[in-house]
Amino acid sequence: MPAIEANGLERTFEGGIHAVAGVDLDVAEKEIYAFLGPNGAGKTTTVRMLTTLLQPTGGSARVAGFDVVAEAANVRRSIGVALQEAALDPLMTGRELIRLQATLHGLSRQAGREKADSLLERVDLVDAADRQVGTYSGGMRRRLDLASALVHEPKVLFLDEPTTGLDPVSRRTIWEEVEQLNREGTTVFLTTQYLEEADQLADRVGIIDFGRIVAEDTPGRLKAGIGHPHLEIRLVEDVAERAREVVAGFGKPRPSKDGAVLVELEGGAGGVAPVVRALDDAGLAVESLDLVEPTLDDVFLEKTGHHLEPEEPEAGESE
Amino acid sequence: MGWRKSMEATWALVRRAANELLRGVLAPTIFFLGLTSVFGALDNLAGFPAPYKDWLIPVSLLQGAGFTGAATGVNLARDIEQGWFDRLLVSPAPRPVILAGLVLSAALRSLIPAIFLLIVGFAIGVQWPGLDGLLIALLVVMGMGTVAACWGTTLALKYRSQSAAPLMQAGMLLLVLTTTAYAPLALLTGWLHTVARYNPVTQVVEAARQGFIGSVTWGNTWPGLVALAGLLAVLSALALRGMHRTAI
Amino acid sequence: MTRTDLRVVAALGARSVKQTFRRPQLLAPIVVFPSILLAIQTAGAGQAVNLPEFPPVNSFLDFMLAGAMIQATLLAGNSGGIALAVDIEMGFTDRLLAAPISRFGMVLGRLAGTGVLSLLAGIWFIVVGLIFGAQINDGVPGVIVMLLLVTLSGLAFGGIGAAVALRTGRASVVQGLFPLVFVILFLSSAFFPQDLLTGPAATIAQYNPLSFIVEGIRDPVISSLTWEVFGKAIASLALVGAIGIGLSALALRRRLRAGG
């Protein structure tokens, strides 16, 4: 039985906006599945439907074996949800929040108290446990939110942009925790606008754009599907046009990025030297030269026709 | 900023101004009409010199000025939160000029609720105070608006946060209501009798009130003006001090 | 309602009470503001008891206590609505809706908190009143009935606040009801005897449910509560409560369908 299953899932909002326009999902148990896409691609809307917060306007979905509409209560019992940083009450202490969450999931007083202790320990918030959340840093809030989603040891964990806006160190802490949870047997469904996050964490990645999944596979296979590494050439002068003509004979040209000239090399590293010679012969001075293995960004570009370049979002702002 | 965003921003500003105006105008009017209906029968007491609505309207006028003036403080606190005010402070304009600009606009704006309230008052039969009585009342209203703006500015500079807003409003409310607001001094009981006797705003209220309940005399006017001048001197000094501290 | 649902309501109620004590801006309208108004009005209009039509009372403070209490419960209902709207705005309600609890539990939790805060405000005003010389004619049973009615008022007005919060989802809209609270108060016998009100207020106050509720809270202090007055107070509370909770339920259903 898949942990998450969706067939033609759709959500149309008033005014006819198709936020999610037919999404199929099949996430196996104990898998980490990442939904990768820019702001407004439909990530959050999909998660809200899978977590029973929003009713689909078309299609169906099952989570942990239960239908998200007909058996919503059973779905809620089986899932842990960390939605957005802002969903924390700044006036509550960390400990109070986790204990409230335990009550919401029917744990007894005693069990809730013990759970709060162990979870706070787990996410390293013991010292801050009795401070109001309003005084927490962004990373601490995400850790608290993650811990609060774990009180009832859910089978499936939904994390909506768990690291958006975090510094690299905090981001890595969250990743390690997610990996640890997954090793313990939790299925994880996360959304992200960071390529690196999807690449590092996910067993499989679904690329979503304009409410549809445009590609889905393991990060490795997605990248391999793009084919060959490419050469990224930067020139001393602004002579990109001429350079493009020169290298056109060595491989498929690709849309340029930040003024650099990109060309695919079918032969891999062995094809570099002839390109350099040709540029030299044409009298073009090369500033730098990089052989770039395909990234998820290339996959994204290939599948959607545009780059995925998340701007550093302002605090609290996301999809 | 795209045209849509700037339209939204403009619209938000318009709405904010409208809200403020509504609240500044609405609150004193509700209190005036409400208290007139509720405590109106008090004018049957022996020693009550005038119909209750004539007695109360100057109080509501001053309350409106207090609200409007305090709003200056709330706006300033928001500007401080958003960093606008620092930009103003690095400009070469002298501090007293900046303060004067803030409070004088409050003085003018406090005329808006006053005029609205007067129209409502006359519509329900408040006595015409005579041109001299009306002018003195409006002058006092502007003075009170200035005092309230200084108070709001002082608190805004001290707390640098909009959460001080209730303090700005409550302070002015207390100042205006702990006077002969509800009844003549002789009819006030307990602690309020004592406080109202020494609260300088009592003189301000009486100055604004004289035309509505009788005729205007210099003897009823000057104590109010002196009291206003005194309040203004103290509170503008506090506000200026706050500004100089902020600048460091 | 399962056992878990009841525990959830209690936990959410406790949260909303703590929240109020942790943020002075939330506590001020419930306790500080009505206390100041009570002090000023009692001293400012105190001679009213000498009016020939004024009902026999020990002091004007005795008469005013009920008004202050009802004002506190109205403002508590308003604050509760604001807090619920803030929960919606910041997504805290999603946390509750993603959990396996009764959907209406989150509204009931908020109402429970408002009820407790109203009870506390009621106790505060009785204590303040007693310190400053009020005499409660019906004694301890009177106090119990007063506190019961005050708590129920909090629930009823909290329902109205919650309905507006759920319908609009915006704290600023609920906050905008603040002046309305005073309109309702001034158009009732909360601050002055029904027979002494003037103008249109005198007529409206005769039919304002708030007048009946206030009189139910006031009579144990100044005279003796009769079954008739008590019955009218309870019936008025039931009416306001049914409207508030009914509208809340409708607004919640609508919100859930639209997807919050």
Side-chain angles (χ1 to χ4, degrees):
Chain A
M1 181 188 72
I4 302 167
E5 191 182 357
N7 290 304
L9 199 61
E10 278 179 29
R11 176 70 204 202
T12 310
F13 285 106
E14 279 166 37
I17 302 151
H18 298 281
V20 175
V23 160
D24 298 319
L25 287 168
D26 190 350
V27 179
E29 275 185 52
K30 299 178 189 168
E31 194 178 3
I32 299 184
Y33 185 93
F35 231 20
L36 177 68
N39 275 343
K43 303 192 298 285
T44 295
T45 306
T46 307
V47 169
R48 290 182 70 83
M49 287 192 280
L50 294 176
T51 53
T52 78
L53 291 173
L54 185 64
Q55 290 212 357
T57 48
S60 66
R62 297 179 83 79
V63 173
F66 302 109
D67 186 274
V68 293
V69 178
E71 299 164 297
N74 284 326
V75 172
R76 290 177 197 131
R77 258 185 278 278
S78 316
I79 60 172
V81 182
L83 282 179
Q84 300 281 347
E85 176 200 7
L88 297 168
D89 178 353
L91 293 180
M92 289 173 93
T93 68
R95 191 187 306 280
E96 282 170 348
L97 184 94
I98 295 188
R99 290 185 56 185
L100 174 65
Q101 196 78 29
T103 306
L104 292 176
H105 281 279
L107 271 68
S108 74
R109 249 180 115 74
Q110 184 57 31
R113 195 169 309 164
E114 284 162 12
K115 203 77 208 181
D117 288 340
S118 68
L119 284 172
L120 287 164
E121 177 90 51
R122 175 166 191 160
V123 296
D124 196 20
L125 284 174
V126 175
D127 293 338
D130 297 307
R131 260 165 48 197
Q132 291 181 18
V133 174
T135 66
Y136 283 22
S137 69
M140 290 163 80
R141 286 175 196 222
R142 298 301 173 91
R143 265 145 54 207
L144 177 65
D145 202 8
L146 183 59
S148 78
L150 302 176
V151 286
H152 54 301
E153 292 160 24
K155 292 196 201 86
V156 186
L157 187 61
F158 287 91
L159 305 173
D160 193 11
E161 307 208 1
T163 65
T164 297
L166 291 190
D167 61 89
V169 177
S170 308
R171 189 171 291 168
R172 200 154 289 279
T173 314
I174 299 273
W175 290 354
E176 279 162 16
E177 193 53 48
V178 171
E179 279 167 344
Q180 177 60 30
L181 281 164
N182 182 246
R183 276 196 292 277
E184 292 164 14
T186 313
T187 309
V188 180
F189 186 101
L190 66 91
T191 73
T192 183
Q193 24 175 333
Y194 298 124
L195 298 156
E196 199 193 350
E197 185 157 280
D199 208 353
Q200 281 265 324
L201 273 182
D203 298 318
R204 277 196 308 147
V205 175
I207 293 178
I208 181 167
D209 199 34
F210 294 109
R212 282 177 204 282
I213 295 181
V214 293
E216 185 186 54
D217 213 325
T218 65
R221 268 198 296 246
L222 281 173
K223 287 184 282 189
I226 291 298
H228 316 287
H230 68 257
L231 201 56
E232 196 173 305
I233 305 156
R234 286 178 195 282
L235 299 135
V236 176
E237 290 164 86
D238 188 15
V239 285
E241 265 323 301
R242 278 186 57 210
R244 229 185 298 279
E245 285 162 26
V246 172
V247 301
F250 295 93
K252 208 168 103 191
R254 312 205 14 203
S256 68
K257 206 173 136 187
D258 311 328
V261 175
L262 272 54
V263 61
E264 265 183 38
L265 290 183
E266 283 186 34
V272 176
V275 176
V276 177
R277 263 197 299 277
L279 285 169
D280 203 31
D281 291 346
L284 298 171
V286 172
E287 184 187 293
S288 75
L289 199 79
D290 270 310
L291 185 66
V292 184
E293 294 291 332
T295 65
L296 279 180
D297 189 32
D298 299 316
V299 180
F300 199 87
L301 177 65
E302 165 94 6
K303 302 292 181 188
T304 67
H306 51 96
H307 284 286
L308 177 78
E309 279 167 343
E311 309 146 49
E312 263 320 297
E314 288 162 48
E317 203 180 70
S318 62
E319 210 166 316
Chain B
M1 201 186 265
W3 67 270
R4 222 188 120 183
K5 261 199 170 157
S6 52
M7 278 238 322
E8 276 168 13
T10 313
W11 177 233
L13 275 178
V14 170
R15 224 170 27 195
R16 198 178 89 188
N19 268 339
E20 263 164 29
L21 199 66
L22 198 68
R23 213 170 311 166
V25 170
L26 213 56
T29 310
I30 288 173
F31 268 77
F32 171 66
L33 292 174
L35 289 176
T36 314
S37 320
V38 169
F39 293 131
L42 283 178
D43 58 15
N44 294 329
L45 286 169
F48 212 100
Y52 201 71
K53 48 181 175 267
D54 300 339
W55 182 262
L56 198 65
I57 196 157
V59 179
S60 298
L61 289 174
L62 291 178
Q63 206 187 330
F67 267 119
T68 317
T72 302
V74 181
N75 289 341
L76 178 62
R78 186 180 41 226
D79 288 349
I80 291 175
E81 277 176 10
Q82 295 173 352
W84 285 104
F85 190 63
D86 291 335
R87 226 174 283 180
L88 191 59
L89 279 184
V90 295
S91 74
R95 302 284 179 265
V97 173
I98 296 176
L99 180 67
L102 279 174
V103 299
L104 287 181
S105 92
L108 286 176
R109 268 183 303 147
S110 60
L111 288 175
I112 298 173
I115 288 166
F116 183 81
L117 193 60
L118 282 169
I119 292 171
V120 171
F122 293 136
I124 66 160
V126 163
Q127 182 186 306
W128 172 252
L131 194 59
D132 48 355
L134 186 69
L135 288 178
I136 287 173
L138 290 178
L139 180 70
V140 167
V141 159
M142 288 173 70
M144 198 64 202
T146 315
V147 167
C150 285
W151 164 251
T153 303
T154 307
L155 291 182
L157 291 169
K158 185 168 165 59
Y159 293 107
R160 306 181 69 83
S161 153
Q162 287 184 76
S163 60
L167 206 55
M168 301 175 191
Q169 273 144 3
M172 281 299 113
L173 195 69
L174 269 179
L175 206 56
V176 174
L177 289 188
T178 54
T179 60
T180 52
Y182 284 88
L185 194 59
L187 292 176
L188 297 179
T189 59
W191 64 276
L192 188 57
H193 186 90
T194 316
V195 172
R197 174 180 298 213
Y198 297 107
N199 184 348
V201 183
T202 295
Q203 304 306 326
V204 182
V205 171
E206 294 297 342
R209 181 179 276 153
Q210 49 183 328
F212 293 96
I213 62 167
S215 55
V216 176
T217 65
W218 177 240
N220 276 335
T221 308
W222 71 262
L225 297 182
V226 169
L228 264 181
L231 281 167
L232 208 54
V234 173
L235 284 169
S236 62
L238 283 175
L240 267 180
R241 203 179 62 152
M243 253 184 208
H244 283 296
R245 283 208 180 146
T246 308
I248 299 167
Chain C
M1 277 265 135
T2 63
R3 227 181 94 81
T4 304
D5 285 338
L6 287 177
R7 286 188 57 225
V8 167
V9 170
L12 292 176
R15 166 182 175 249
S16 90
V17 172
K18 276 188 207 159
Q19 198 177 39
T20 307
F21 279 93
R22 283 176 191 173
R23 184 152 283 182
Q25 293 105 296
L26 295 175
L27 194 60
I30 303 177
V31 177
V32 183
F33 201 66
S35 300
I36 290 175
L37 221 57
L38 175 67
I40 292 177
Q41 291 187 342
T42 304
Q47 296 287 343
V49 295
N50 295 328
L51 289 167
E53 301 92 335
F54 207 91
V57 288
N58 256 318
S59 73
F60 193 54
L61 174 64
D62 290 24
F63 184 88
M64 291 298 283
L65 269 186
M69 288 186 196
I70 208 72
Q71 188 188 359
T73 65
L74 277 165
L75 293 174
N78 188 249
S79 297
I82 293 172
L84 179 59
V86 169
D87 274 357
I88 294 171
E89 280 178 359
M90 71 179 183
F92 192 84
T93 45
D94 285 344
R95 180 177 294 281
L96 307 177
L97 291 173
I101 58 163
S102 149
R103 312 284 85 189
F104 205 59
M106 68 177 213
V107 180
L108 289 180
R110 183 56 72 183
L111 290 185
T114 308
V116 171
L117 287 168
S118 301
L119 175 66
L120 294 177
I123 295 173
W124 162 261
F125 283 110
I126 288 177
V127 170
V128 167
L130 291 176
I131 289 173
F132 288 94
Q135 291 171 22
I136 295 164
N137 201 45
D138 276 344
V140 175
V143 169
I144 292 170
V145 173
M146 288 166 75
L147 293 179
L148 170 77
L149 292 174
V150 166
T151 308
L152 291 177
S153 306
L155 294 177
F157 300 132
I160 307 272
V164 179
L166 288 166
R167 184 69 174 76
T168 65
R170 282 171 45 206
S172 59
V173 176
V174 192
Q175 203 151 21
L177 296 182
F178 196 81
L180 202 65
V181 166
F182 287 91
V183 174
I184 298 168
L185 278 168
F186 287 137
L187 293 176
S188 78
S189 55
F191 295 138
F192 225 52
Q194 173 80 56
D195 298 338
L196 286 170
L197 297 179
T198 59
T203 318
I204 298 170
Q206 282 178 5
Y207 302 100
N208 188 342
L210 201 67
S211 300
F212 299 114
I213 302 170
V214 169
E215 274 147 32
I217 302 173
R218 178 181 292 140
D219 276 11
V221 185
I222 63 169
S223 58
S224 196
L225 185 64
T226 62
W227 279 109
E228 194 200 335
V229 173
F230 180 72
K232 281 182 182 168
I234 290 286
S236 305
L237 283 170
L239 176 72
V240 177
I243 293 173
I245 291 172
L247 289 178
S248 295
L250 284 178
L252 178 66
R253 214 173 61 182
R254 194 187 139 97
R255 176 163 291 279
L256 289 176
R257 210 179 310 134

mmCIF file of all heavy atoms in Angstrom, chain B residues 159-175:
data_model
loop_
_atom_site.group_PDB
_atom_site.id
_atom_site.type_symbol
_atom_site.label_atom_id
_atom_site.label_comp_id
_atom_site.label_asym_id
_atom_site.label_seq_id
_atom_site.Cartn_x
_atom_site.Cartn_y
_atom_site.Cartn_z
ATOM 1 N N TYR B 159 8.544 54.536 23.694
ATOM 2 C CA TYR B 159 8.334 53.091 23.519
ATOM 3 C C TYR B 159 8.659 52.602 22.115
ATOM 4 O O TYR B 159 8.835 51.406 21.895
ATOM 5 C CB TYR B 159 6.892 52.724 23.886
ATOM 6 C CG TYR B 159 6.610 52.917 25.349
ATOM 7 C CD1 TYR B 159 5.836 53.973 25.793
ATOM 8 C CD2 TYR B 159 7.145 52.053 26.293
ATOM 9 C CE1 TYR B 159 5.591 54.169 27.140
ATOM 10 C CE2 TYR B 159 6.910 52.239 27.635
ATOM 11 C CZ TYR B 159 6.126 53.294 28.060
ATOM 12 O OH TYR B 159 5.896 53.474 29.391
ATOM 13 N N ARG B 160 8.698 53.514 21.144
ATOM 14 C CA ARG B 160 9.033 53.177 19.760
ATOM 15 C C ARG B 160 8.220 52.001 19.235
ATOM 16 O O ARG B 160 8.721 51.181 18.472
ATOM 17 C CB ARG B 160 10.534 52.869 19.630
ATOM 18 C CG ARG B 160 11.425 53.983 20.161
ATOM 19 C CD ARG B 160 12.893 53.671 19.999
ATOM 20 N NE ARG B 160 13.292 53.690 18.598
ATOM 21 C CZ ARG B 160 13.611 54.792 17.932
ATOM 22 N NH1 ARG B 160 13.575 55.958 18.528
ATOM 23 N NH2 ARG B 160 13.962 54.731 16.671
ATOM 24 N N SER B 161 6.961 51.903 19.659
ATOM 25 C CA SER B 161 6.138 50.767 19.238
ATOM 26 C C SER B 161 4.668 51.166 19.268
ATOM 27 O O SER B 161 4.229 51.897 20.157
ATOM 28 C CB SER B 161 6.372 49.589 20.186
ATOM 29 O OG SER B 161 5.232 48.761 20.207
ATOM 30 N N GLN B 162 3.916 50.651 18.292
ATOM 31 C CA GLN B 162 2.490 50.959 18.238
ATOM 32 C C GLN B 162 1.730 50.354 19.401
ATOM 33 O O GLN B 162 0.584 50.713 19.642
ATOM 34 C CB GLN B 162 1.896 50.413 16.943
ATOM 35 C CG GLN B 162 2.295 51.182 15.722
ATOM 36 C CD GLN B 162 1.579 50.637 14.504
ATOM 37 O OE1 GLN B 162 0.413 50.886 14.293
ATOM 38 N NE2 GLN B 162 2.291 49.865 13.703
ATOM 39 N N SER B 163 2.359 49.395 20.096
ATOM 40 C CA SER B 163 1.627 48.780 21.201
ATOM 41 C C SER B 163 1.417 49.770 22.335
ATOM 42 O O SER B 163 0.677 49.487 23.268
ATOM 43 C CB SER B 163 2.361 47.525 21.694
ATOM 44 O OG SER B 163 3.644 47.873 22.126
ATOM 45 N N ALA B 164 2.055 50.947 22.260
ATOM 46 C CA ALA B 164 1.814 51.971 23.280
ATOM 47 C C ALA B 164 0.531 52.749 23.001
ATOM 48 O O ALA B 164 0.158 53.627 23.779
ATOM 49 C CB ALA B 164 3.001 52.919 23.366
ATOM 50 N N ALA B 165 -0.145 52.409 21.892
ATOM 51 C CA ALA B 165 -1.334 53.179 21.489
ATOM 52 C C ALA B 165 -2.402 53.283 22.586
ATOM 53 O O ALA B 165 -2.924 54.376 22.827
ATOM 54 C CB ALA B 165 -1.926 52.582 20.214
ATOM 55 N N PRO B 166 -2.754 52.167 23.275
ATOM 56 C CA PRO B 166 -3.785 52.292 24.301
ATOM 57 C C PRO B 166 -3.400 53.298 25.387
ATOM 58 O O PRO B 166 -4.246 54.038 25.893
ATOM 59 C CB PRO B 166 -3.876 50.879 24.893
ATOM 60 C CG PRO B 166 -3.321 49.988 23.855
ATOM 61 C CD PRO B 166 -2.295 50.787 23.120
ATOM 62 N N LEU B 167 -2.105 53.362 25.688
ATOM 63 C CA LEU B 167 -1.623 54.286 26.711
ATOM 64 C C LEU B 167 -1.813 55.726 26.244
ATOM 65 O O LEU B 167 -2.194 56.605 27.016
ATOM 66 C CB LEU B 167 -0.139 54.000 26.974
ATOM 67 C CG LEU B 167 0.402 54.368 28.346
ATOM 68 C CD1 LEU B 167 -0.423 53.704 29.432
ATOM 69 C CD2 LEU B 167 1.863 53.961 28.457
ATOM 70 N N MET B 168 -1.543 55.965 24.951
ATOM 71 C CA MET B 168 -1.694 57.318 24.418
ATOM 72 C C MET B 168 -3.151 57.756 24.518
ATOM 73 O O MET B 168 -3.454 58.877 24.923
ATOM 74 C CB MET B 168 -1.264 57.354 22.949
ATOM 75 C CG MET B 168 0.179 56.930 22.724
ATOM 76 S SD MET B 168 0.556 56.861 20.959
ATOM 77 C CE MET B 168 2.152 56.036 20.977
ATOM 78 N N GLN B 169 -4.065 56.849 24.131
ATOM 79 C CA GLN B 169 -5.477 57.209 24.137
ATOM 80 C C GLN B 169 -6.037 57.283 25.556
ATOM 81 O O GLN B 169 -6.739 58.234 25.905
ATOM 82 C CB GLN B 169 -6.283 56.218 23.292
ATOM 83 C CG GLN B 169 -6.298 56.626 21.839
ATOM 84 C CD GLN B 169 -6.266 55.454 20.889
ATOM 85 O OE1 GLN B 169 -6.285 54.297 21.323
ATOM 86 N NE2 GLN B 169 -6.213 55.723 19.604
ATOM 87 N N ALA B 170 -5.693 56.283 26.382
ATOM 88 C CA ALA B 170 -6.238 56.245 27.737
ATOM 89 C C ALA B 170 -5.767 57.454 28.540
ATOM 90 O O ALA B 170 -6.524 58.019 29.329
ATOM 91 C CB ALA B 170 -5.827 54.951 28.432
ATOM 92 N N GLY B 171 -4.520 57.874 28.316
ATOM 93 C CA GLY B 171 -3.992 59.020 29.044
ATOM 94 C C GLY B 171 -4.838 60.255 28.808
ATOM 95 O O GLY B 171 -5.226 60.970 29.747
ATOM 96 N N MET B 172 -5.148 60.515 27.528
ATOM 97 C CA MET B 172 -5.943 61.700 27.195
ATOM 98 C C MET B 172 -7.372 61.576 27.723
ATOM 99 O O MET B 172 -7.963 62.548 28.196
ATOM 100 C CB MET B 172 -5.972 61.886 25.675
ATOM 101 C CG MET B 172 -4.708 62.513 25.136
ATOM 102 S SD MET B 172 -4.439 64.167 25.837
ATOM 103 C CE MET B 172 -2.972 63.896 26.806
ATOM 104 N N LEU B 173 -7.919 60.342 27.634
ATOM 105 C CA LEU B 173 -9.277 60.111 28.104
ATOM 106 C C LEU B 173 -9.375 60.429 29.596
ATOM 107 O O LEU B 173 -10.283 61.131 30.050
ATOM 108 C CB LEU B 173 -9.664 58.652 27.843
ATOM 109 C CG LEU B 173 -11.144 58.326 27.937
ATOM 110 C CD1 LEU B 173 -11.901 58.970 26.799
ATOM 111 C CD2 LEU B 173 -11.360 56.817 27.909
ATOM 112 N N LEU B 174 -8.386 59.927 30.353
ATOM 113 C CA LEU B 174 -8.369 60.165 31.791
ATOM 114 C C LEU B 174 -8.258 61.649 32.096
ATOM 115 O O LEU B 174 -8.954 62.183 32.960
ATOM 116 C CB LEU B 174 -7.175 59.436 32.424
ATOM 117 C CG LEU B 174 -7.438 58.028 32.917
ATOM 118 C CD1 LEU B 174 -6.169 57.433 33.493
ATOM 119 C CD2 LEU B 174 -8.521 58.061 33.993
ATOM 120 N N LEU B 175 -7.384 62.319 31.363
ATOM 121 C CA LEU B 175 -7.144 63.736 31.597
ATOM 122 C C LEU B 175 -8.437 64.540 31.395
ATOM 123 O O LEU B 175 -8.743 65.440 32.161
ATOM 124 C CB LEU B 175 -6.054 64.217 30.623
ATOM 125 C CG LEU B 175 -5.214 65.418 31.045
ATOM 126 C CD1 LEU B 175 -4.553 65.166 32.386
ATOM 127 C CD2 LEU B 175 -4.160 65.717 29.990
#
